[in-house]
Amino acid sequence: MTTDPQPVFAALKTADESDFDMILELNDAEEQHTSPMDLERLRSLARISAYCKVATIEKVVAAFLIAIREGAPYENDNYRWFAARCSSFLYVDRIVVAARFSRRGIGARLYDDLFAFARSQGIGTITCEYNIDPPNPVSRAFHEKYGFKELGTQWVAGGAKQVSLQAAEA
């Protein structure tokens, strides 16, 4: 019989430069589900983001989430797709939880905080995408719990990935 790992308490804080090395390590480990990110790109995303937080456990970055508002100077196919269809939104560029901390409620803690942030800013729609080819069933199940619904699909990364473009009410 297997049991799910026990929930852990993760402190949330706005990411800063001291977190960037650990954020890059987490992103590298999950690059097949997100996209490549080097230090320059991370700095750029942090600058234009409306929400850029890490979840830490004993001073170790266990997860991070970067989200960007409409109107940001962001060159990204998925962001542009939402910008063409939504007048006000908060786009989840990426959320990554370290494998050793998965299924412990850390992603949910970040999303609960993100949804509260969106409501506090008067943002009614949160958008994201996840891979459907190759499939990412963990992300699909996670986003379904938050009420995300598919608005469309598109091929990205030069046709290497197909994503489901999702939105949920904040």
Side-chain angles (χ1 to χ4, degrees):
M1 180 171 121
T2 61
T3 59
D4 287 340
Q6 292 297 312
V8 295
F9 178 77
L12 301 186
K13 72 175 192 91
T14 299
D16 61 40
E17 191 87 21
S18 69
D19 302 311
F20 287 4
D21 286 342
M22 286 188 270
I23 289 171
L24 291 171
E25 284 180 34
L26 290 178
N27 194 82
D28 286 350
E30 294 297 324
E31 190 174 298
Q32 76 277 13
H33 297 301
T34 61
S35 61
M37 182 169 63
D38 60 14
L39 183 57
E40 182 181 331
R41 180 149 177 90
L42 175 55
R43 284 180 175 143
S44 174
L45 288 172
R47 265 192 310 276
I48 66 170
S49 69
Y51 184 101
C52 183
K53 289 193 177 182
V54 294
T56 61
I57 298 172
E58 296 177 6
K59 298 185 182 180
V60 173
V61 174
F64 71 93
L65 192 158
I66 301 171
I68 302 165
R69 289 245 10 210
E70 80 283 342
Y74 188 31
E75 294 299 317
N76 174 283
D77 291 340
N78 298 317
Y79 179 84
R80 278 194 297 267
W81 191 95
F82 289 114
R85 290 159 180 84
C86 304
S87 60
S88 173
F89 63 94
L90 184 58
Y91 169 70
V92 176
D93 183 69
R94 63 191 76 211
I95 177 173
V96 176
V97 177
R100 69 183 175 140
F101 294 114
S102 68
R103 300 181 53 88
R104 293 183 168 209
I106 297 169
R109 183 153 160 72
L110 278 164
Y111 257 46
D112 291 346
D113 189 64
L114 177 73
F115 274 68
F117 170 80
R119 287 188 299 272
S120 77
Q121 300 297 306
I123 305 166
T125 303
I126 297 177
T127 63
C128 71
E129 84 282 336
Y130 55 77
N131 294 351
I132 52 177
D133 187 9
N136 188 344
V138 172
S139 187
R140 187 193 79 235
F142 178 80
H143 287 92
E144 284 176 355
K145 289 179 186 177
Y146 281 87
F148 281 88
K149 303 290 184 212
E150 186 173 89
L151 301 181
T153 65
Q154 70 178 357
W155 287 92
V156 296
K161 296 194 277 190
Q162 185 181 29
V163 296
S164 174
L165 298 141
Q166 301 270 319
E169 289 184 23

